[in-house]
Amino acid sequence: MNLNLYKQCYEDIIYFDYQGSQKHAHMSLSDRAAQFSPFAALNGHEAAILETARLTEEKILLAEERKACINEKLCFLKKDIQAKPFVNLTYFQKDERKEGGAYINKTGKIIKMNEQTLIFDDQTKIFFYDIIDIEIL
């Protein structure tokens, strides 16, 4: 059907002003849009795309010399643990959702050490094997 045919069929009402409903109040545009918001055909799709786009880093494998240097500093810290030494270290934190992780800098007082971890005054626990750099301040 062409436009002229439609115009002819509805010519008697096409130019009338809209009168509105006598029973119902005029609905705002935001309320009209809200009618369709519960219907989300791809619910969670945007979150999945953002998660896929989030970048992670691979864990660096340290050379033996670097491991020995870190181990030496850890031995020094163990001897001086009563003084609650202040350190700045960089460590690898594994990502909980994807492969890889991120490198994080942490500065603070060490209050405890055991066979595998450093424990900071804010109760952060860092495994020795995740440390890639440590500086005693």
Side-chain angles (χ1 to χ4, degrees):
M1 256 186 182
N2 65 23
L3 186 60
N4 287 334
L5 187 58
Y6 279 122
K7 217 172 182 181
Q8 288 172 0
C9 290
Y10 299 103
E11 196 165 3
D12 57 333
I13 62 170
I14 202 164
Y15 298 108
F16 283 162
D17 289 335
Y18 177 70
Q19 299 299 317
S21 172
Q22 299 293 326
K23 294 180 183 179
H24 305 288
H26 183 70
M27 185 181 288
S28 70
L29 288 178
S30 63
D31 288 343
R32 283 178 188 235
Q35 291 180 357
F36 299 100
S37 66
F39 177 73
L42 298 173
N43 195 11
H45 182 67
E46 185 175 345
I49 288 173
L50 291 173
E51 177 63 22
T52 303
R54 190 173 54 86
L55 299 176
T56 58
E57 298 179 68
E58 286 187 36
K59 187 174 182 180
I60 298 170
L61 297 175
L62 299 177
E64 291 303 318
E65 296 135 6
R66 189 79 183 134
K67 287 180 186 178
C69 180
I70 291 171
N71 191 39
E72 194 175 297
K73 290 178 182 180
L74 289 172
C75 288
F76 178 79
L77 288 173
K78 190 170 187 173
K79 289 178 189 174
D80 198 32
I81 196 69
Q82 297 302 327
K84 298 182 179 176
F86 203 74
V87 298
N88 180 24
L89 58 86
T90 304
Y91 67 100
F92 182 78
Q93 185 174 45
K94 187 175 179 343
D95 195 288
E96 294 178 2
R97 293 186 221 138
K98 357 177 16 172
E99 194 170 315
Y103 286 96
I104 298 173
N105 289 321
K106 172 85 175 146
T107 302
K109 286 183 182 180
I110 297 176
I111 60 169
K112 192 175 180 183
M113 278 178 85
N114 62 26
E115 299 297 317
Q116 299 176 355
T117 59
L118 292 175
I119 302 172
F120 283 81
D121 57 351
D122 64 356
Q123 302 304 312
T124 302
K125 295 179 183 179
I126 299 173
F127 287 97
F128 293 158
Y129 57 79
D130 287 333
I131 298 171
I132 65 161
D133 188 33
I134 188 165
E135 180 183 359
I136 302 169
L137 304 174

